[in-house]
Structure formats: structure tokens, C-alpha cells
Amino acid sequence: MIHGFLQHAERPVEEYRCRARVFRHAATGCEVLHLASADTENLFAFSFATPALDDTGAAHILEHSVLAGSARFPLREPFTVLMRGSVATFLNAFTFPDRTVYPAASCTPRDFFNLLAVYGDAVFFPLLRDETFRQEGWRLERDAGRSLFAGVVLNEMKGAYATPEALAGEWALRALFPDTPLGRDNGGDPRAIPTLTPEGLRAYHRRWYHPSNCRIVLYGDVPVEEELAFLQERFLCSFSTE
């Protein structure tokens, strides 16, 4: 047992000149893949299975919203602050059809752990304020006497639906996989996004952002014992399998 984690597998990965070890957190089931390397560019990625239950784009809106303030970092836009003050070599977040991933990397160990602290607190303990939902998800605006739907994700998805190629790709997936999450739009259909509520978004987070549904990838030359201790003490000790 290493800081609450049990090791389940270990083997060399010669093509990447590293050694892979798989750990599972005993209390929550969170899985960690550690790739030990001589590379000084250290990387982490939090990954959650986030299937689309409908076309409201809850996973996509949540990806934007968790990075807008958390319990330990209640800033309005900590992600923007990180981009200005960190020496990160990579910093982003992605929504895929079946998962959401939050990766970051840095060549400076102290900066790496700062990034890990902010990202981990964001995904596990986001504030998910109503004003964040209105900014990132959807809201009603008045323009020239007309009421219009607006919002970061809503406008982004309007653009995604603006070309024949995008429409053909979207509806091809829906036709091929009609009874699966791939048959729904994880990014959000602009016609369905306004049916999502702030409480619906919070419920989606409670269901899918538990550590039991999380897989974490760690890569680089930082000792795994330090990283596992950090994950346990900062985040996972607050959860159980319940």
C-alpha cells in the first residue's frame, strides 16, 4: 500500500523508454497509470467517462464550468490566471464523445504540483455557480428588441453546426449508433442546450466526476510516491466508494 493505493501491474514500455505502473485507490477505486521516465517534462491528465445522456451538452458545459472556480481556488477564472503565471508547457481540457480529459504539463516540479492542485480541485470540488452556468452554458439576451440565446458553449456549437460537413458527420454517427451515447451530441445540440438547468449540470457532475469514475495518467521523472501522496492528501481522502 502506497498512500492509499495498491499496485496492480508493472512492466516496461520500451518504445517510450519508460516503466508503467498501474495503481488503484483502495477507498474510491480511482485508477492511476504512472509512466516513470527520465523526461523532465512532467505531465498529468484527469480523465472521466462522460457519456451523453441527451443532447444538452452537459459534459461540454461542465468542462468549461469546472475551470471557473473551485473550493480551494474560488477565483472567477483560475484557468486564465494559470495561463498568465505558470511556466506550463501544456494546459488544456477536451470533451470527446465518451470522455472528458484535463491534461497539463510542466518542466518545473513546483509548477507541476501547482497545476495538479488547481486542476484536481477544479474537477473534484468545483463551485459551479449559477453565473458560471449562464456564461458558459446558455442565457437569454436582448438585442435590438429581440430575445436571443447566448453562451460560450451554445455559440461554439452553433459554429459546429454551421457547415454541411459537420452536419453530415454528426448525423452519420447518430444513424450508426442510435442507441448509444454516440447517437447523441456530447458537445450539445444548440436546440437542446437551453433545456439544461444549473441543477441538472450539478447532478451530472455528482454522477460522473466521482474518483471511482476517474483515471489519472502521470508521466515524467517526479517520484510516484510524491504524486500519490499529493493525490491522496489533497483530493481522494475526501471521498469514499459510497
Short mmCIF file of all heavy atoms in Angstrom, two decimals, residues 121-158:
data_model
loop_
_atom_site.label_atom_id
_atom_site.label_comp_id
_atom_site.label_asym_id
_atom_site.label_seq_id
_atom_site.Cartn_x
_atom_site.Cartn_y
_atom_site.Cartn_z
N ASP A 121 -8.51 20.24 -7.80
CA ASP A 121 -9.56 20.89 -7.05
C ASP A 121 -10.71 21.29 -7.98
O ASP A 121 -11.89 21.23 -7.60
CB ASP A 121 -9.01 22.13 -6.35
CG ASP A 121 -9.80 22.49 -5.10
OD1 ASP A 121 -9.82 21.67 -4.16
OD2 ASP A 121 -10.40 23.57 -5.06
N ALA A 122 -10.38 21.67 -9.20
CA ALA A 122 -11.41 22.07 -10.17
C ALA A 122 -12.33 20.92 -10.53
O ALA A 122 -13.55 21.06 -10.55
CB ALA A 122 -10.75 22.64 -11.42
N VAL A 123 -11.75 19.76 -10.82
CA VAL A 123 -12.60 18.66 -11.29
C VAL A 123 -13.36 18.00 -10.15
O VAL A 123 -14.51 17.56 -10.35
CB VAL A 123 -11.78 17.61 -12.07
CG1 VAL A 123 -11.18 18.22 -13.32
CG2 VAL A 123 -10.69 16.96 -11.21
N PHE A 124 -12.78 17.94 -8.95
CA PHE A 124 -13.45 17.25 -7.85
C PHE A 124 -14.31 18.18 -6.99
O PHE A 124 -15.31 17.74 -6.44
CB PHE A 124 -12.42 16.54 -6.97
CG PHE A 124 -11.77 15.36 -7.63
CD1 PHE A 124 -10.38 15.26 -7.70
CD2 PHE A 124 -12.53 14.34 -8.18
CE1 PHE A 124 -9.77 14.17 -8.31
CE2 PHE A 124 -11.93 13.25 -8.79
CZ PHE A 124 -10.56 13.17 -8.86
N PHE A 125 -13.93 19.46 -6.88
CA PHE A 125 -14.64 20.37 -5.98
C PHE A 125 -14.99 21.69 -6.66
O PHE A 125 -14.69 22.77 -6.14
CB PHE A 125 -13.80 20.63 -4.73
CG PHE A 125 -13.25 19.39 -4.08
CD1 PHE A 125 -11.89 19.13 -4.09
CD2 PHE A 125 -14.10 18.47 -3.48
CE1 PHE A 125 -11.37 17.98 -3.50
CE2 PHE A 125 -13.60 17.32 -2.89
CZ PHE A 125 -12.24 17.07 -2.90
N PRO A 126 -15.61 21.68 -7.83
CA PRO A 126 -15.94 22.95 -8.50
C PRO A 126 -17.08 23.67 -7.80
O PRO A 126 -17.94 23.04 -7.17
CB PRO A 126 -16.35 22.50 -9.90
CG PRO A 126 -16.96 21.14 -9.68
CD PRO A 126 -16.11 20.52 -8.59
N LEU A 127 -17.11 24.98 -7.92
CA LEU A 127 -18.19 25.77 -7.31
C LEU A 127 -19.47 25.69 -8.15
O LEU A 127 -20.57 25.71 -7.60
CB LEU A 127 -17.75 27.23 -7.17
CG LEU A 127 -16.57 27.47 -6.21
CD1 LEU A 127 -16.22 28.95 -6.17
CD2 LEU A 127 -16.88 26.95 -4.81
N LEU A 128 -19.32 25.65 -9.47
CA LEU A 128 -20.47 25.55 -10.38
C LEU A 128 -21.54 26.59 -10.03
O LEU A 128 -22.70 26.28 -9.81
CB LEU A 128 -21.06 24.13 -10.36
CG LEU A 128 -20.12 23.00 -10.82
CD1 LEU A 128 -20.82 21.67 -10.76
CD2 LEU A 128 -19.59 23.28 -12.22
N ARG A 129 -21.12 27.83 -10.01
CA ARG A 129 -22.02 28.94 -9.72
C ARG A 129 -23.07 29.09 -10.83
O ARG A 129 -22.82 28.76 -11.99
CB ARG A 129 -21.24 30.25 -9.60
CG ARG A 129 -20.11 30.27 -8.59
CD ARG A 129 -19.44 31.62 -8.64
NE ARG A 129 -18.33 31.75 -7.71
CZ ARG A 129 -17.05 31.61 -8.05
NH1 ARG A 129 -16.73 31.28 -9.30
NH2 ARG A 129 -16.09 31.78 -7.16
N ASP A 130 -24.22 29.65 -10.47
CA ASP A 130 -25.26 29.92 -11.47
C ASP A 130 -24.76 30.88 -12.53
O ASP A 130 -25.07 30.73 -13.72
CB ASP A 130 -26.51 30.49 -10.80
CG ASP A 130 -27.32 29.45 -10.05
OD1 ASP A 130 -26.95 28.25 -10.10
OD2 ASP A 130 -28.33 29.81 -9.42
N GLU A 131 -23.97 31.89 -12.13
CA GLU A 131 -23.47 32.85 -13.11
C GLU A 131 -22.49 32.20 -14.08
O GLU A 131 -22.39 32.59 -15.25
CB GLU A 131 -22.83 34.06 -12.42
CG GLU A 131 -21.72 33.73 -11.43
CD GLU A 131 -22.22 33.63 -10.00
OE1 GLU A 131 -23.37 33.18 -9.79
OE2 GLU A 131 -21.45 33.99 -9.09
N THR A 132 -21.75 31.19 -13.60
CA THR A 132 -20.87 30.45 -14.50
C THR A 132 -21.70 29.68 -15.53
O THR A 132 -21.35 29.64 -16.71
CB THR A 132 -19.99 29.48 -13.70
OG1 THR A 132 -19.18 30.21 -12.78
CG2 THR A 132 -19.09 28.67 -14.63
N PHE A 133 -22.79 29.08 -15.08
CA PHE A 133 -23.67 28.36 -16.00
C PHE A 133 -24.21 29.30 -17.07
O PHE A 133 -24.24 28.96 -18.25
CB PHE A 133 -24.83 27.73 -15.23
CG PHE A 133 -25.82 27.00 -16.08
CD1 PHE A 133 -25.61 25.67 -16.41
CD2 PHE A 133 -26.95 27.64 -16.58
CE1 PHE A 133 -26.51 24.99 -17.22
CE2 PHE A 133 -27.86 26.98 -17.38
CZ PHE A 133 -27.64 25.64 -17.69
N ARG A 134 -24.61 30.50 -16.67
CA ARG A 134 -25.16 31.45 -17.65
C ARG A 134 -24.09 31.93 -18.62
O ARG A 134 -24.38 32.21 -19.79
CB ARG A 134 -25.79 32.65 -16.92
CG ARG A 134 -27.06 32.29 -16.16
CD ARG A 134 -27.80 33.53 -15.70
NE ARG A 134 -27.07 34.26 -14.68
CZ ARG A 134 -27.20 34.04 -13.38
NH1 ARG A 134 -28.05 33.10 -12.95
NH2 ARG A 134 -26.52 34.74 -12.50
N GLN A 135 -22.86 32.02 -18.14
CA GLN A 135 -21.78 32.44 -19.04
C GLN A 135 -21.35 31.32 -19.97
O GLN A 135 -21.24 31.51 -21.18
CB GLN A 135 -20.57 32.91 -18.23
CG GLN A 135 -19.34 33.24 -19.09
CD GLN A 135 -18.16 33.67 -18.25
OE1 GLN A 135 -18.26 34.60 -17.46
NE2 GLN A 135 -17.03 32.99 -18.42
N GLU A 136 -21.09 30.15 -19.41
CA GLU A 136 -20.52 29.05 -20.21
C GLU A 136 -21.58 28.22 -20.92
O GLU A 136 -21.30 27.66 -21.98
CB GLU A 136 -19.68 28.15 -19.31
CG GLU A 136 -18.55 28.86 -18.58
CD GLU A 136 -17.52 29.44 -19.52
OE1 GLU A 136 -17.39 28.93 -20.66
OE2 GLU A 136 -16.85 30.41 -19.14
N GLY A 137 -22.76 28.12 -20.33
CA GLY A 137 -23.82 27.30 -20.93
C GLY A 137 -24.72 28.10 -21.82
O GLY A 137 -24.48 28.25 -23.02
N TRP A 138 -25.79 28.63 -21.23
CA TRP A 138 -26.71 29.44 -22.03
C TRP A 138 -27.41 30.48 -21.16
O TRP A 138 -27.50 30.34 -19.95
CB TRP A 138 -27.74 28.55 -22.72
CG TRP A 138 -28.75 27.93 -21.79
CD1 TRP A 138 -28.62 26.75 -21.11
CD2 TRP A 138 -30.03 28.46 -21.43
NE1 TRP A 138 -29.72 26.51 -20.35
CE2 TRP A 138 -30.61 27.53 -20.53
CE3 TRP A 138 -30.74 29.62 -21.77
CZ2 TRP A 138 -31.87 27.75 -19.97
CZ3 TRP A 138 -32.00 29.83 -21.20
CH2 TRP A 138 -32.55 28.88 -20.32
N ARG A 139 -27.89 31.52 -21.81
CA ARG A 139 -28.65 32.59 -21.16
C ARG A 139 -29.47 33.29 -22.25
O ARG A 139 -29.23 33.11 -23.45
CB ARG A 139 -27.72 33.60 -20.48
CG ARG A 139 -26.81 34.33 -21.45
CD ARG A 139 -25.80 35.21 -20.75
NE ARG A 139 -24.93 35.90 -21.71
CZ ARG A 139 -23.83 35.38 -22.23
NH1 ARG A 139 -23.45 34.16 -21.87
NH2 ARG A 139 -23.10 36.07 -23.09
N LEU A 140 -30.42 34.09 -21.82
CA LEU A 140 -31.20 34.92 -22.73
C LEU A 140 -30.66 36.34 -22.72
O LEU A 140 -30.35 36.90 -21.66
CB LEU A 140 -32.68 34.93 -22.33
CG LEU A 140 -33.54 33.77 -22.82
CD1 LEU A 140 -34.93 33.87 -22.21
CD2 LEU A 140 -33.63 33.73 -24.34
N GLU A 141 -30.51 36.91 -23.91
CA GLU A 141 -30.05 38.29 -24.03
C GLU A 141 -31.04 39.08 -24.89
O GLU A 141 -31.73 38.51 -25.74
CB GLU A 141 -28.66 38.35 -24.67
CG GLU A 141 -27.54 37.86 -23.79
CD GLU A 141 -26.18 38.07 -24.44
OE1 GLU A 141 -26.14 38.38 -25.66
OE2 GLU A 141 -25.17 37.93 -23.72
N ARG A 142 -31.05 40.38 -24.69
CA ARG A 142 -31.86 41.26 -25.52
C ARG A 142 -30.96 41.96 -26.52
O ARG A 142 -29.92 42.52 -26.15
CB ARG A 142 -32.59 42.29 -24.66
CG ARG A 142 -33.60 41.72 -23.70
CD ARG A 142 -34.84 41.22 -24.41
NE ARG A 142 -35.63 42.33 -24.97
CZ ARG A 142 -36.72 42.16 -25.69
NH1 ARG A 142 -37.16 40.93 -25.95
NH2 ARG A 142 -37.39 43.20 -26.15
N ASP A 143 -31.34 41.90 -27.78
CA ASP A 143 -30.55 42.55 -28.83
C ASP A 143 -31.52 43.14 -29.84
O ASP A 143 -32.26 42.41 -30.51
CB ASP A 143 -29.62 41.54 -29.50
CG ASP A 143 -28.76 42.19 -30.57
OD1 ASP A 143 -28.39 43.36 -30.40
OD2 ASP A 143 -28.48 41.53 -31.60
N ALA A 144 -31.48 44.47 -29.94
CA ALA A 144 -32.36 45.18 -30.89
C ALA A 144 -33.83 44.81 -30.66
O ALA A 144 -34.59 44.62 -31.62
CB ALA A 144 -31.96 44.88 -32.33
N GLY A 145 -34.18 44.69 -29.39
CA GLY A 145 -35.57 44.40 -29.06
C GLY A 145 -35.95 42.94 -29.16
O GLY A 145 -37.11 42.59 -28.91
N ARG A 146 -35.00 42.06 -29.49
CA ARG A 146 -35.28 40.63 -29.62
C ARG A 146 -34.60 39.86 -28.50
O ARG A 146 -33.54 40.25 -28.02
CB ARG A 146 -34.80 40.09 -30.96
CG ARG A 146 -35.47 40.69 -32.18
CD ARG A 146 -34.94 40.02 -33.45
NE ARG A 146 -33.48 40.15 -33.53
CZ ARG A 146 -32.72 39.35 -34.29
NH1 ARG A 146 -33.27 38.35 -34.96
NH2 ARG A 146 -31.42 39.54 -34.33
N SER A 147 -35.20 38.75 -28.07
CA SER A 147 -34.58 37.86 -27.09
C SER A 147 -33.81 36.78 -27.84
O SER A 147 -34.36 36.10 -28.71
CB SER A 147 -35.65 37.21 -26.21
OG SER A 147 -36.28 38.18 -25.41
N LEU A 148 -32.53 36.64 -27.49
CA LEU A 148 -31.66 35.68 -28.16
C LEU A 148 -30.98 34.78 -27.15
O LEU A 148 -30.65 35.21 -26.04
CB LEU A 148 -30.59 36.41 -28.98
CG LEU A 148 -31.05 37.38 -30.06
CD1 LEU A 148 -29.85 38.11 -30.64
CD2 LEU A 148 -31.81 36.63 -31.15
N PHE A 149 -30.77 33.52 -27.51
CA PHE A 149 -29.99 32.61 -26.69
C PHE A 149 -28.51 32.89 -26.94
O PHE A 149 -28.08 33.05 -28.09
CB PHE A 149 -30.30 31.16 -27.02
CG PHE A 149 -31.64 30.70 -26.53
CD1 PHE A 149 -32.66 30.39 -27.41
CD2 PHE A 149 -31.88 30.58 -25.17
CE1 PHE A 149 -33.89 29.96 -26.96
CE2 PHE A 149 -33.11 30.15 -24.70
CZ PHE A 149 -34.12 29.85 -25.60
N ALA A 150 -27.71 32.91 -25.87
CA ALA A 150 -26.27 33.11 -25.98
C ALA A 150 -25.58 32.27 -24.92
O ALA A 150 -26.21 31.69 -24.04
CB ALA A 150 -25.92 34.58 -25.82
N GLY A 151 -24.25 32.23 -24.99
CA GLY A 151 -23.45 31.43 -24.06
C GLY A 151 -22.24 30.89 -24.80
O GLY A 151 -22.30 30.65 -26.01
N VAL A 152 -21.14 30.68 -24.08
CA VAL A 152 -19.90 30.25 -24.72
C VAL A 152 -20.10 28.93 -25.47
O VAL A 152 -19.78 28.81 -26.65
CB VAL A 152 -18.77 30.12 -23.68
CG1 VAL A 152 -17.51 29.52 -24.33
CG2 VAL A 152 -18.45 31.48 -23.07
N VAL A 153 -20.60 27.91 -24.77
CA VAL A 153 -20.77 26.61 -25.41
C VAL A 153 -21.86 26.66 -26.47
O VAL A 153 -21.72 26.10 -27.56
CB VAL A 153 -21.08 25.52 -24.37
CG1 VAL A 153 -21.50 24.22 -25.04
CG2 VAL A 153 -19.86 25.29 -23.48
N LEU A 154 -22.97 27.35 -26.19
CA LEU A 154 -24.05 27.45 -27.17
C LEU A 154 -23.55 28.09 -28.46
O LEU A 154 -23.80 27.56 -29.56
CB LEU A 154 -25.19 28.28 -26.59
CG LEU A 154 -26.42 28.45 -27.50
CD1 LEU A 154 -27.11 27.12 -27.72
CD2 LEU A 154 -27.39 29.47 -26.92
N ASN A 155 -22.80 29.18 -28.35
CA ASN A 155 -22.29 29.83 -29.56
C ASN A 155 -21.25 28.96 -30.26
O ASN A 155 -21.19 28.93 -31.49
CB ASN A 155 -21.67 31.18 -29.19
CG ASN A 155 -22.70 32.19 -28.76
OD1 ASN A 155 -23.88 32.06 -29.10
ND2 ASN A 155 -22.28 33.19 -28.00
N GLU A 156 -20.43 28.27 -29.47
CA GLU A 156 -19.45 27.36 -30.06
C GLU A 156 -20.13 26.26 -30.87
O GLU A 156 -19.69 25.92 -31.98
CB GLU A 156 -18.59 26.75 -28.95
CG GLU A 156 -17.47 25.84 -29.42
CD GLU A 156 -16.66 25.29 -28.27
OE1 GLU A 156 -16.39 26.05 -27.31
OE2 GLU A 156 -16.29 24.10 -28.31
N MET A 157 -21.21 25.71 -30.33
CA MET A 157 -21.89 24.62 -31.02
C MET A 157 -22.72 25.13 -32.20
O MET A 157 -22.95 24.39 -33.16
CB MET A 157 -22.76 23.84 -30.04
CG MET A 157 -21.96 23.11 -28.97
SD MET A 157 -20.56 22.13 -29.63
CE MET A 157 -21.44 20.92 -30.63
N LYS A 158 -23.16 26.38 -32.16
CA LYS A 158 -23.79 26.95 -33.35
C LYS A 158 -22.80 26.93 -34.51
O LYS A 158 -23.15 26.62 -35.65
CB LYS A 158 -24.25 28.39 -33.07
CG LYS A 158 -25.50 28.51 -32.23
CD LYS A 158 -25.85 29.98 -32.03
CE LYS A 158 -27.08 30.16 -31.17
NZ LYS A 158 -27.39 31.60 -30.94
#
